[in-house]
Amino acid sequence: MLDEIKERAAATTEILGFIVSVDGSRLTAVMAKTMGETATALSVGNLVRVSGAESQVYGVVSRVWSPDPERPVDSIRPRFEIDLIGELQASPRHGMPARFQRGVAFYPRLGSKVVLAGAADFALVYAKPEAPTIRVGTVHKTGGVPAHLLTNSLLGKHFAILGTTGSGKSCTVVSILRAVLDSHANGHMILLDPHNEYGEAFDQRAEVIRPRDLRLPFWLMNLEEAMAVLVPADAERQDIEGRILKHGIMHARAAFAKNWGGSTRDLTVDTPSPYYLEDLTDYIQREMGRLDKADGSVPYRSLLNRIESLSADPRLAFMFPITLVEDNLASIMAQILRIPVRGKPITIVDLSGVPSDVVDVCVSILCRIIFDFAVWSDPADRVPLLLVCEEAHRYVPQEESTAFGPTRRAVSRIAKEGRKYGLGLCLVTQRPSELSQSALSQCNTIISMRLANQVDQAHVTRALPDSMGGLIAALPALHTQEAVVVGEGVSVPMRLRFSDLAPDHRPRSASAEFSASWQSEVAD
């Protein structure tokens, strides 16, 4: 039953070392020969195979050291640690080949032989899974073995892409999304783009919504969002103005519903039902003219001035349209969610031109209506969605005091509950330490690129679903385009290099070339 395993063990003639310690998911071994006697190269990141009585165990070398630093290197037998990743067990079914599987059931014994993995081992351990996958690059130190991500586990159980600026993080986002779209032409993705990086990275497959094309009318805002836009946070009369605004919005929603023959029985101030801005301002003016008001006219005038100022701002035409209000929620959702797809399976919402004082409100509205759509869809007809949040630390920061409350709650709710309703989430950030630990821990797959900051490394380590100390220790030394991937989205934790993107598929995130630009005069 173990004939195949024994044949594989016999295929490698040189023994690399012997196990001297077994500790949970980590093994310690001593080299079989001194550094001067062996011709076998050993370094951190090597895949090794450990012979056992019941199985062949595989692991990655995470540390190599000398037990006696005072002696010459050639005369010592180094020690090395191995992080276990899985094993090759004989199949319980007669005649079926042994297969590699993640995790270890049969630990090797002390004295078990360690050999360096070869091409056959790479093909076995990093084989393309039977489940749907996407190819994104090659596995580190395997001579070009393809690296695959599990499509359903990656998208359906949330994932995070982390990495310092310049590590290739934005290109990684494009690589993964393009790989998904290449095999899923009828996808439904929404990418929040705060810096206008991704607009041209997906050819003609992206519906790019810029501020001039964006439609998020004021009536979509709930009370908390409306207060953030219409009532300054530092206003001394914030409570008073908030109360006036609440009654005014409720009055305006009810008036619109009555005019169009609708019911007001279940109407609330947060219901995303249309209303006329004029009905709101008329209500405020009428209340301001009453003689029995205890708060004076100042809070009413402040609200009216703010509404007039914002509705006249051309930058906010997407929020305060000139045309008459109408119930176009269906068309708004169809544009954002790509239903129907019509050859453009991804929506890129360009937030770079949205005024900074309302951008958080826009993100809050988008996340909230996307989640509500997923929740209230008929399970039989539910359309799986993927929401990609660039600069995620801006929306779900670790410190609640630095966040816009509605946005933080909307994204956090998607992180905690979205997978139940077919709503996947991708968090992208270069500052993991500033990202909510709770939101990051909901991501079952972590794709971490180079992280030089120790605080960021510690933050990521706490959220990892796998104990792979050797891979995590490599984070500061990763090259551009390299990443450590652990979690449900890969069949086995791995270090990989993402495939090169064509120049016209790269996001616009490259740094300015000062040395070239400053060589000539700018005349205009």
Side-chain angles (χ1 to χ4, degrees), residues 134-137 149 154 161 168-182 189 198 201-202 205 449 481 496-502 505-507:
I134 54 172
R135 179 178 175 177
V136 294
L149 303 182
L154 180 74
I161 300 176
K169 176 170 48 61
S170 299
C171 287
T172 296
V173 174
V174 175
S175 294
I176 293 175
L177 298 187
R178 284 187 67 92
V180 173
L181 294 179
D182 286 344
M189 300 180 181
Y198 299 96
F202 295 92
R205 292 186 291 184
M449 311 193 78
Q481 280 186 262
L496 59 84
R497 184 186 187 277
F498 285 95
S499 301
D500 294 332
L501 283 173
H505 293 164
R506 296 172 187 168

Side-chain angles (χ1 to χ4, degrees), residues 429-457:
T429 181
Q430 72 269 27
R431 302 175 185 173
S433 59
E434 297 183 16
L435 183 66
S436 166
Q437 184 74 40
S438 175
L440 184 59
S441 65
Q442 298 294 327
C443 296
N444 282 19
T445 304
I446 303 293
I447 302 171
S448 183
M449 311 193 78
R450 185 171 62 250
L451 290 173
N453 188 290
Q454 291 184 351
V455 178
D456 287 336
Q457 295 171 31

Side-chain angles (χ1 to χ4, degrees), residues 396-440:
V396 276
Q398 178 72 358
E399 299 294 334
E400 292 190 30
S401 59
T402 63
F404 177 58
T407 305
R408 192 178 197 276
R409 286 193 292 274
V411 179
S412 296
R413 192 178 182 190
I414 293 174
K416 294 176 181 177
E417 304 176 36
R419 71 191 70 190
K420 304 174 185 176
Y421 308 105
L423 176 54
L425 177 67
C426 171
L427 301 177
V428 185
T429 181
Q430 72 269 27
R431 302 175 185 173
S433 59
E434 297 183 16
L435 183 66
S436 166
Q437 184 74 40
S438 175
L440 184 59

Side-chain angles (χ1 to χ4, degrees), residues 252-276:
R253 291 195 195 279
F256 187 93
K258 290 178 181 178
N259 289 340
W260 290 88
S263 172
T264 62
R265 185 180 59 181
D266 299 323
L267 203 63
T268 71
V269 70
D270 294 330
T271 303
S273 60
Y275 64 88
Y276 291 114

Side-chain angles (χ1 to χ4, degrees), residues 276-289:
Y276 291 114
L277 202 59
E278 290 79 2
D279 285 342
L280 174 59
T281 55
D282 288 346
Y283 172 84
I284 296 174
Q285 288 175 336
R286 186 169 62 253
E287 290 297 307
M288 182 174 62

Side-chain angles (χ1 to χ4, degrees), residues 22 37 70 82 87 197 210 327 355 386 398 437 486:
V22 180
E37 296 171 339
E70 301 297 329
I82 304 167
E87 63 187 345
E197 294 180 72
R210 295 187 169 87
D327 187 358
L386 175 67
Q398 178 72 358
Q437 184 74 40
V486 296

Side-chain angles (χ1 to χ4, degrees), residues 214-225:
L214 186 63
R215 291 183 297 161
L216 290 178
F218 59 87
W219 52 265
L220 276 178
M221 292 187 286
N222 60 26
L223 178 61
E224 195 171 10
E225 292 160 349

